[in-house]
Every structure is written in C-alpha cells, then in structure tokens.
Amino acid sequence: MSDVGPNLRAVQQRVALACQRANRPPESVRLLAVSKLHSADSIREAYAVGHRDFGENYAQELRDKATQLRELADIRWHAIGPLQLNKAKYVAKSAYAFHALDRIELAEELSRRRLGPPLPCYLELNLGGESTKSGIEPSQLTAVLDQISPLPKVKVVGLMCLPPLAPDAEASRQFFRTLRELALQNGLNELSMGSTHDFEVAIEEGSTVVRVGSGIFGERPGA
Ligand SMILES: *Cc1c(COP(=O)(O)O)cnc(C)c1O
C-alpha cells in the first residue's frame, strides 16, 4: 500500500490551516491532485478516500487515463500543462477545465473541438520573464482576453502561473500577488496558483485552486 490516502489528508489539513490563517472559508480553495506520470491505481487510491479533482500535464496521458478510469464517472480532469494544437482535441473532449491557455490559436482550436458546455479556462501568465516558460506577457493580457471572449466554447474564468523555481516558498509570493492584481483588474475570480512547495503562500495570496503533485503521490517516476 502506498501513502496516497494519508498524504492527501495531510495536504487537506494544511490547506484548511492556511485558509484559517488567511481568514478564508476552507471551501474557497480547490485542491487538484496532480497525478501526471503516476499510475491509474494511485488515482484510484485518492478516489477511494473521496478525492475527485485530478491534474494531468500531458494530453495523451489524460486521454488514456480518462478512458482507463471511465467507470469513475465523477472524476474531474484538469489539464494543467502546455498543449500543442494537434492535441487540443483530447483536452476539449475529456477535461473539466484547462489551466494553461497561453495563445489565441489554441483557444480557437479548443472552441472548435469542444462539444457540450464551454470549457472553463485559466490564462497562463509568464510573470518571471522566463524565455523558457510558456505563458502570456502581462502587457498582452487585456488584448488576449478581448480576442478570446467571442469564442463560444471557451470561457476564461481566471489566471494561472507557475513561478520560477526557488528553494524558498516565500520567493513565490510576489508572483502570486501580481497574478491576483491582474485578475482583479480584469474581473476574473479564479486563481490557479501554488504547488507542493508553495501552496500555503498561494492561499495566503488568494489562490482558489492549488495544484499539488509530489506532496500527495510522492516523487514522480523518472523525475
Ligand atoms: C507538475 C505540476 C504541478 C505539481 O507540482 P508538484 O511540485 O509535484 O506539486 C503543478 N502545476 C503544474 C503546471 C505542474 O506541471
């Protein structure tokens, strides 16, 4: 047996404590269990203790797991990684939400491919000015929102960021704060920010979705 159940409970408790410190109701933060590269059985373990929100980075892995686990019909799959145009169809089909929308063409393709209700999306911002990372520049945000808003099957609900890697969680705070300000300025309510090493700081800064992988499932195989 693995520690997925106990790890999940421990993370949930830390989420609740961070909410308490920040004077926020615990249900104001959704916890995504980031299961990328982990087995379907690990997901079943989390499901068995009541967890329903899972984050996957790779579109084909998401597609395959959604198929493999289709009897767990109320799982909510969140696509959280960079997405190529030719794989947008998998996300359009299987995802409950997409957290890494970073360009118009991708929004257009998702909208074309989506059946049923519009896909809730988070625009990913590149706040650290890192050329190796995806995400739109803050100066482009309003223009991108204007271009996406007419698309019928994509609905931008919030913003997402992945701060530059740093040993200290406090280093992420300024990025989380900037993301929150940008969301406020643009009338967006959701903030997908915070992972294993900095989710408590993210909650203090207003995160509504934290994406926790290794803190729940352990080190990723091959990572
Ligand atoms: C892998 C990943 C996470 C989870 O990272 P951990 O450090 O394992 O918690 C969160 N967000 C994104 C975008 C990721 O790719």
Side-chain angles (χ1 to χ4, degrees):
M1 273 314 279
S2 83
D3 299 326
V4 170
N7 287 348
L8 194 48
R9 270 193 297 281
V11 171
Q12 283 162 343
Q13 251 157 32
R14 287 170 57 191
V15 167
L17 282 172
C19 284
Q20 216 170 56
R21 282 197 302 276
N23 272 317
R24 301 181 52 191
E27 63 278 9
S28 66
V29 177
R30 190 194 292 254
L31 171 62
L32 302 195
V34 177
S35 44
K36 64 179 175 210
L37 304 179
H38 287 283
S39 67
D41 280 341
S42 306
I43 295 173
R44 286 182 205 280
E45 281 183 57
Y47 186 92
V49 296
H51 204 73
R52 294 295 179 267
D53 289 285
F54 294 89
E56 288 285 341
N57 279 58
Y58 310 104
Q60 281 143 312
E61 186 176 345
L62 188 156
R63 172 200 63 189
D64 294 344
K65 282 175 171 166
T67 305
Q68 229 179 328
L69 295 170
R70 65 177 163 266
E71 79 276 10
L72 311 181
D74 56 348
I75 280 189
R76 293 181 288 268
W77 296 107
H78 298 254
I80 66 171
L83 182 60
Q84 293 171 268
L85 277 188
N86 62 355
K87 295 182 184 142
K89 53 183 180 272
Y90 305 132
V91 168
K93 176 163 186 257
S94 302
Y96 169 83
F98 177 47
H99 294 244
L101 185 55
D102 60 355
R103 56 203 195 279
I104 311 284
E105 311 83 76
L106 182 55
E108 289 169 343
E109 180 64 6
L110 286 166
S111 189
R112 264 195 297 275
R113 296 283 185 166
R114 178 75 169 181
L115 306 171
L119 180 66
C121 291
Y122 299 73
L123 276 185
E124 179 173 2
L125 290 207
N126 184 347
L127 299 180
E130 296 171 286
S131 56
T132 54
K133 270 210 191 133
S134 45
I136 62 178
E137 297 299 320
S139 62
Q140 301 298 312
L141 174 57
T142 307
V144 171
L145 280 169
D146 285 346
Q147 284 182 271
I148 293 178
S149 73
L151 298 174
K153 293 291 190 169
V154 158
K155 181 171 171 45
V156 176
V157 296
L159 303 179
M160 178 272 215
C161 74
L162 194 59
L165 266 184
D168 177 10
E170 279 299 326
S172 299
R173 190 180 296 276
Q174 56 167 315
F175 299 103
F176 295 152
R177 202 165 278 182
T178 300
L179 198 72
R180 180 185 192 177
E181 278 162 17
L182 289 168
L184 272 175
Q185 285 162 15
N186 288 280
L188 298 167
N189 295 323
E190 302 285 333
L191 291 168
S192 175
M193 58 187 199
S195 55
T196 297
H197 89 290
D198 58 11
F199 70 86
E200 284 146 315
V201 173
I203 289 169
E204 288 167 15
E205 295 301 331
S207 176
T208 62
V209 186
V210 293
R211 311 178 306 264
V212 178
S214 46
I216 293 171
F217 294 108
E219 288 302 306
R220 281 180 278 282

